Amino acid sequence: MNSHFPPPLACFLMCHGLRGHRLPPTAPRPVKAPLARVEPPGMEVAPDVPSSHQAAARVLLDSLPGRLPQPGLPRGAVSCQDLLPEALEGFSQLPPLPQTLASAALALSLQGAGCPRQAEGLVLRLYGAVGVDDANALLLGIAGSPGTPGQGSRGRAALLFNVDQLAGGGPRRCSGLAPLDSSLLLGPVASTHASFPAAAAACHGLESACSGVTANGTSSFSVIGRPGAYSLPGRGPQAWLHRCHGAGRNRRGSPAACSNERERKVHGVLEWVPVVSTYYNIGTSIYYAVRNCTGLAKERGLEAALDLSYDALLALMGGAAGNLGLGVAVGLKPAVKMGVRSLISYFRQVQPSDPPTHELLQPRHHSRLLRAAIGLDVNKAGALPIL
């Protein structure tokens, strides 16, 4: 279902991220062929793809080559099919939100690789999953992500934290708190204390169930629980991450899930193809993180960060990790919408003048916070339901 957006966001969907290149009109062109049937694994789509969706996908993709050069794939090394989600073993078993984010990145990789037919098919899947407007905004946002490439170690700790959050639970050993630089730590508040030592002690007592501590101005300090916690780029209160590392073999990971020789070969070829490798690394980083292959996920994420920016990857990984944790309680379908819309608000660079209070970061307030961030009137039709 398409979302209802105010005029400023409608303009963003058509213009933002194109750096001055306006999208052609999206009025559907006559299509004589019968409607195609799209049945992507793990995504809910309409039985038939409207011709207007096909036209919108072509318009979007035709507007990207200026920023996504099409060097093509090395002949005989890999094919367009190797870049599709189906080439990743177990992709259809991933939760819907990581599927959506990884598919968006892979669609951009396909377009840059000179695989327009496969890219269009993947965009149509995204339309069926989150709607045309949200899918277009997500694709344009990732393709034109803010931030400057090569930011060194800035955001590295927060990015690796988000990858760990995507990987989920498992035995962890924790040892103290480390300052989080230039990023926000968000999530459920376990407790609030008048001093940092008291909050640190409470966090230590929770062991791996504590993700860190964040300051509430100068008056108090909140302990942030681990399920549903995530980091986003931005200025805000000082935060400290709980230094926790996996203890022993991860619960869901397995050698078979983390050692796909064919995928590694594809990655080895694509790493020498500009643009294509960046978005492929983003998609496979999300894929491996959810499959609990945290080593590979971190490797791919750091490679993508060198070409894109830590901020952009923080937004993607944070949107997936935070809303995936929230989806356990409220159902994944609302979490998919909320995750995509929170990313849209970040890509639009709508930052509140003051950091959100921890009360608003409780799960029951996520819907209202995200609606406010993207400028939606909570009383109008089409707004997200109150959770």
Side-chain angles (χ1 to χ4, degrees):
M1 182 187 306
N2 292 350
S3 302
H4 299 280
F5 291 95
L9 183 53
C11 176
F12 160 76
L13 295 173
M14 304 306 296
C15 310
H16 179 74
L18 293 175
R19 305 189 187 280
H21 300 282
R22 188 177 298 274
L23 285 175
T26 57
R29 293 180 292 220
V31 178
K32 296 182 179 180
L35 296 179
R37 187 176 183 85
V38 180
E39 297 179 349
M43 289 186 180
E44 295 181 7
V45 297
D48 297 310
V49 178
S51 59
S52 59
H53 284 198
Q54 295 175 336
R58 295 190 197 104
V59 167
L60 175 74
L61 293 171
D62 288 346
S63 304
L64 291 177
R67 290 180 310 157
L68 297 183
Q70 296 184 329
L73 296 172
R75 183 170 298 178
V78 296
S79 67
C80 293
Q81 283 68 33
D82 291 325
L83 275 66
L84 287 169
E86 289 81 1
L88 300 174
E89 183 179 353
F91 188 86
S92 62
Q93 277 72 56
L94 300 185
L97 180 59
Q99 278 198 46
T100 298
L101 301 181
S103 294
L106 292 175
L108 294 172
S109 183
L110 283 163
Q111 181 67 12
C115 304
R117 184 175 63 84
Q118 289 81 2
E120 180 180 329
L122 201 46
V123 170
L124 290 174
R125 299 184 187 187
L126 291 169
Y127 286 174
V130 299
V132 175
D133 290 342
D134 283 352
N136 282 349
L138 179 61
L139 288 161
L140 290 174
I142 297 174
S145 300
T148 302
Q151 296 180 16
S153 61
R154 179 180 179 270
R156 179 189 178 102
L159 174 61
L160 299 184
F161 172 77
N162 284 344
V163 171
D164 282 331
Q165 292 301 96
L166 272 174
R172 296 174 186 265
R173 295 176 181 174
C174 303
S175 59
L177 296 165
L180 181 62
D181 181 38
S182 302
S183 300
L184 300 169
L185 177 61
L186 310 176
V189 176
S191 59
T192 302
H193 305 268
S195 67
F196 176 76
C203 180
H204 178 72
L206 291 175
E207 298 181 342
S208 62
C210 171
S211 64
V213 172
T214 186
N216 303 320
T218 59
S219 60
S220 62
F221 298 82
S222 292
V223 176
I224 307 299
R226 183 166 295 278
Y230 58 104
S231 181
L232 287 181
R235 297 179 180 178
Q238 177 65 52
W240 296 262
L241 283 180
H242 203 195
R243 292 179 294 193
C244 298
H245 306 281
R249 179 174 293 183
N250 286 331
R251 180 164 53 91
R252 289 183 296 159
S254 69
C258 303
S259 60
N260 187 325
E261 291 301 321
R262 176 58 181 166
E263 192 285 323
R264 285 178 178 268
K265 178 182 177 182
V266 172
H267 171 261
V269 172
L270 294 184
E271 67 178 330
W272 304 106
V273 183
V275 179
V276 176
S277 61
T278 301
Y279 297 113
Y280 185 80
N281 282 333
I282 293 173
T284 54
S285 179
I286 296 172
Y287 162 77
Y288 279 124
V290 179
R291 287 174 68 84
N292 214 7
C293 306
T294 53
L296 268 174
K298 292 175 180 179
E299 175 186 310
R300 299 293 174 85
L302 292 175
E303 287 181 21
L306 294 177
D307 296 328
L308 193 60
S309 76
Y310 278 99
D311 281 359
L313 290 182
L314 272 179
L316 282 170
M317 297 294 195
N323 288 285
L324 185 59
L326 177 62
V328 172
V330 302
L332 281 170
K333 190 169 183 179
V336 172
K337 284 283 188 180
M338 292 169 64
V340 170
R341 290 189 181 190
S342 65
L343 289 174
I344 291 171
S345 72
Y346 171 69
F347 289 133
R348 291 178 65 216
Q349 302 183 55
V350 177
Q351 299 287 346
S353 56
D354 297 310
T357 64
H358 287 292
E359 180 185 5
L360 288 177
L361 297 176
Q362 296 287 349
R364 65 180 180 274
H365 292 290
H366 270 248
S367 178
R368 186 175 297 276
L369 175 63
L370 293 177
R371 282 179 291 178
I374 61 176
L376 290 177
D377 185 338
V378 297
N379 295 318
K380 290 184 178 180
L384 293 172
I386 296 177
L387 301 178

